[in-house]
Amino acid sequence: KMKPELGIILVSPVITQPNGAISAEVVLSDGLVATTAFNCKWPLAEGGYSDVEAKNRDGDAAFLQISTLPEGQSLTGLPKKWFTQAILSLDGRYGAYGAPTDVKVLSDSAENGRRMLDISFTALSPGSAAIERRAVVSAMQPPGSKDVLMLIGSTSASRWKKAGGEASARQAAESLRVVSTRPTNLKQVAQADYRFGRTSGPEGMKSRNDGF
């Protein structure tokens, strides 16, 4: 199973703040580093398979993804399909065993520089079982950047209502924030990531549960 391509280049390790917030420094494509944070009741995912992610043993997860705006587009003007194609691609978090299907955008709103979408989709598990999932997406642009930061909170459809999954996913997504930005000489390439070249093995995969 390949690691998802989420556009995340980390300057330093992801940390859990004393107040429980998950914080990460990520390289943007504009010569900037953004310090991002979000709050989540699920624990920080560790190991080589995850970038900036919180998840539990039931497959509930909240993760950060970065994509660059198409030329001449604005966050508020982006078509819904741009988000679903970015998040639910074969290279994405839920595409390891085949591209997600039955993709639907259930709601879409923009307010205070933030785009919020509710989506449903079906993903394939390691055993090729079809798992219906729900997700909430929060998207925002760091000041001075053409990149879009997205926080995706997702659970299985069965856990969305019954297990409080929706409330937890929505809380995580809505809490996404850009704490600060600063100039950098780092490029948005793999070699700039502090993890580049480090060996990974069983120790680096200790919390992997394949997203389900």
Side-chain angles (χ1 to χ4, degrees), residues 96-131:
Y97 304 101
T101 57
D102 305 322
V103 178
K104 296 183 178 71
V105 177
L106 307 175
S107 68
D108 177 15
S109 62
E111 189 176 359
N112 299 325
R114 184 189 300 262
R115 189 89 174 257
M116 298 288 299
L117 299 93
D118 275 44
I119 59 177
S120 64
F121 60 97
T122 299
L124 291 176
S125 73
S128 296
I131 308 291

Side-chain angles (χ1 to χ4, degrees), residues 11 26 28 38 51 62 69 78 96 115 119 121 130 138 140-141 147 149 151 159 167 190 204-206 208 210:
V11 177
V26 293
L28 305 180
F38 67 97
D51 290 319
L69 278 172
L78 283 172
R115 189 89 174 257
I119 59 177
F121 60 97
S138 175
M140 59 194 307
Q141 262 182 284
D147 287 352
L149 302 184
L151 199 287
R159 291 182 55 78
M205 305 295 278
K206 62 182 177 181
R208 170 178 157 184
D210 292 308

Side-chain angles (χ1 to χ4, degrees), residues 4-210:
E5 293 293 333
L6 303 179
I8 303 294
I9 304 297
L10 290 171
V11 177
S12 56
V14 181
I15 58 173
T16 302
Q17 304 280 5
N19 64 1
I22 292 172
S23 176
E25 285 193 311
V26 293
V27 180
L28 305 180
S29 62
D30 323 86
L32 294 171
V33 166
T35 301
T36 66
F38 67 97
N39 297 80
C40 190
K41 65 182 293 185
W42 306 320
L44 177 66
E46 300 176 346
Y49 183 71
S50 301
D51 290 319
V52 185
E53 179 172 337
K55 65 180 178 182
N56 64 15
R57 293 184 178 274
D58 296 304
D60 306 337
F63 61 95
L64 187 69
Q65 182 167 342
I66 299 178
S67 296
T68 301
L69 278 172
E71 196 68 40
Q73 291 269 20
S74 66
L75 177 61
T76 53
L78 283 172
K80 300 172 190 176
K81 184 179 284 190
W82 184 87
F83 294 95
T84 55
Q85 288 179 339
I87 296 164
L88 301 176
S89 70
L90 268 174
D91 295 329
R93 177 67 171 75
Y94 295 107
Y97 304 101
T101 57
D102 305 322
V103 178
K104 296 183 178 71
V105 177
L106 307 175
S107 68
D108 177 15
S109 62
E111 189 176 359
N112 299 325
R114 184 189 300 262
R115 189 89 174 257
M116 298 288 299
L117 299 93
D118 275 44
I119 59 177
S120 64
F121 60 97
T122 299
L124 291 176
S125 73
S128 296
I131 308 291
E132 293 182 11
R133 296 190 68 89
R134 291 285 303 272
V136 58
V137 181
S138 175
M140 59 194 307
Q141 262 182 284
S145 175
K146 59 180 180 292
D147 287 352
V148 177
L149 302 184
M150 294 176 281
L151 199 287
I152 300 98
S154 177
T155 77
S156 65
S158 61
R159 291 182 55 78
W160 189 250
K161 293 292 186 188
K162 292 181 182 175
E166 179 182 8
S168 299
R170 204 169 293 285
Q171 179 245 334
E174 291 176 349
S175 72
L176 175 66
R177 54 202 180 271
V178 177
V179 179
S180 62
T181 59
R182 57 181 170 84
T184 183
N185 292 323
L186 294 173
K187 303 298 183 188
Q188 203 179 44
V189 295
Q191 291 87 338
D193 194 298
Y194 86 94
R195 300 168 293 180
F196 183 76
R198 297 191 180 193
T199 57
S200 62
E203 276 299 306
M205 305 295 278
K206 62 182 177 181
S207 69
R208 170 178 157 184
N209 68 356
D210 292 308

